[in-house]
Amino acid sequence: MLSLIFENPQLNLNAIITLLLIAIITFVFIKLFSDDKPIEFTVPVPIEAKPGWVDGKILEKLNIKDPQNPGYITCYDPATGQLLSNIRAHTEQDVINSLKKVRNAQKKWALTTFAERRKVLKSLLNFIVKNQDEICWVSCRDTGKSLVDAKFGEILATCERIQWIIKKGEKALSPQYHESSMLLLYKIAKVMFEPLGVVAALVSWNYPFHNLIGPIISALFAGNGIIIKSSEQVAWSLQYYSEIIKVCLISCGHDPDIVQFLCGFPECGEALVKSGVDGLTFIGSPQVGKQIMSSSSTTLTPCILELGGKDCAILRQDVNLNQVIPIILRGVFQNSGQNCVGLERILVHESIYDEFVKIVEQKIKELRVGCALNDEEGVDVGALTMSDHLDRLSNLIKSTVSQGAKLLYGGYPFIHPLYPTAHYYTPTLLIDVTPEMPISKTEHFAPIMVVMKFRTDDEAIEIANASGYGLGNSVFTRDQRRGEWMVRRLRCGMVNVNDFGATYLCNLPFGGVGISGFGRFGGIEGLRQQCLMKSITLDRFPWLLQTSLPKILNYPISFGGSTFVSNLIKVVYENRLIDKLKGGIKLVIGESYKYE
Ligand SMILES: *[C@@H]1O[C@H](CO)[C@@H](O)[C@H](O)[C@H]1NC(C)=O
């Protein structure tokens, strides 16, 4: 047949076309009948999230706690002050009930295949891409952030993580084979990544959608159930976001109890940490992180702590300011500065310092502050999510200025003309800041650019290392080798050369050192931390060779047992070949030792 094809050019062409057609038809059939497609589902968006919604009662005093109504969370839009709803705060009893439900559901979930889990993630990803605007509106309404900040932080970052798990998750969690030791060459040695059981995550309010979805997708893909406690600051958006997950799971034919959502005051978090879950992730401040670690020690629950940072951008003398400054501005003002990996300190070489300050001062003055959903004009910087930040910030800036820093712009709350009770902070520029000043050591989490001057690379590293935090850093330079030299000297968990936040979008593990916490999420390493890492050996040739201890080592140990082990050690670990051989010969002839 083959020779026929090659001999006859006409037949040759026909054969190729036929084969191609068969291949295409087969491919289409596989696609059509494979179970690989996302399931479509819908979730109604709350009316309050619609841009231009102004029906909410504007609150006089903005506080999520109402003394008249204890046990409830007052949810409001921080960019307008409009009341959104009052939601019951979850209590210790809710934690107990949730744990019971999820424990039960996890038994079945642990048996699902990676393909089934991928289908859930694909359906979720499909929903997110199709409903980006709605998800962002809900986030903007609950946190006050701008739309671009929501698109980046809530949607883009989330889609990337889901896509990565869909594509690479199974490989990351497949058994890893290792070389067995010289002594046990007849063994297979491998590590398996099994579900931990039920994990919990206590997440922060700065990205209510992304921070919620991240732990859920990792947990589910690893075969775990999860209880996720959202911050009480974003209780309102949790209702819509949790519905998305529940409907997605139900649409894919799974028990929605596998994910449990909680939202309550610190008592609820404390109860969850002590509940006896099998693993814990906490995103928040170092102070609360210490309490979490101490509470989780009662049950010895392993924890991953992500406790914020005081990230630096180091601008060496060789940078192109026009190219770098837009990146710096985004790193500082993204999400009104409320980012774990936001740029909190800008270290600028003395030779470009004045020019840098001149350009950013102009840019910062032009930033438009406002409510993304209700203001007609565009908004660059949204509101601050927490009401008690305003006084804290003004005090922090005051004490920093009293120690010699210069306040070039801002330094006070911004009063919105239509919504005077809403909480905004004017974008602020503080220069000539030094490492001893209070703002160099505390995470400010606000739209403030802190500029510091340095003379040598060593000095820049010293300043960067000195905050106690160690999450991320950025080095800007056109000298790639110098950039890598600096990367090695920075004490932190992540560094980007000539960029900001890129490690995150490259699915590298996320986490820090020092008071930034420990443990990782994201990427291969993060996904594996959601698993029970189980080490296993098996016989390589079970039909041929199995371990049997030499007689001389059987109990009761006979004369020469210890010498036998000595000689064995020599064979394997002696440095020189001749010594190895000597040991080998003694082993074979069975040398005895008189003092034994
Ligand atoms: C910064 O920290 C790193 C990592 O701990 C260390 O190797 C380096 O020597 C430190 N450098 C300075 C100048 O503090």
Side-chain angles (χ1 to χ4, degrees), residues 329-396:
L329 286 167
R330 175 136 287 280
V332 172
F333 293 104
Q334 151 92 14
N335 210 30
S336 301
Q338 303 166 110
N339 302 293
C340 311
V341 287
L343 295 179
E344 294 243 338
R345 295 176 291 165
I346 312 301
L347 275 53
V348 186
H349 189 266
E350 58 178 352
S351 65
I352 52 171
Y353 189 86
D354 293 339
E355 197 193 346
F356 174 85
V357 169
K358 207 178 96 199
I359 301 174
V360 292
E361 184 181 8
Q362 192 52 42
K363 292 274 180 206
I364 290 173
K365 283 179 179 165
E366 287 168 7
L367 292 175
R368 298 159 303 173
V369 184
C371 170
L373 294 182
N374 290 24
D375 287 348
E376 296 286 313
E377 286 163 46
V379 166
D380 300 308
V381 177
L384 290 186
T385 305
M386 280 174 72
S387 56
D388 56 3
H389 265 180
L390 299 178
D391 289 340
R392 185 184 68 87
L393 289 172
S394 293
N395 289 333
L396 186 61

Side-chain angles (χ1 to χ4, degrees), residues 235-254:
W236 180 74
S237 51
L238 179 67
Q239 297 180 310
Y240 173 61
Y241 296 154
S242 58
E243 200 59 23
I244 294 173
I245 299 289
K246 284 182 201 162
V247 176
C248 177
L249 283 163
I250 293 170
S251 309
C252 294
H254 299 291

Side-chain angles (χ1 to χ4, degrees), residues 294-315:
S294 146
S295 301
S296 65
S297 74
T298 53
T299 43
L300 284 178
T301 304
C303 45
I304 297 170
L305 301 178
E306 201 283 277
L307 309 178
K310 193 72 200 168
D311 295 14
C312 287
I314 300 174
L315 274 61

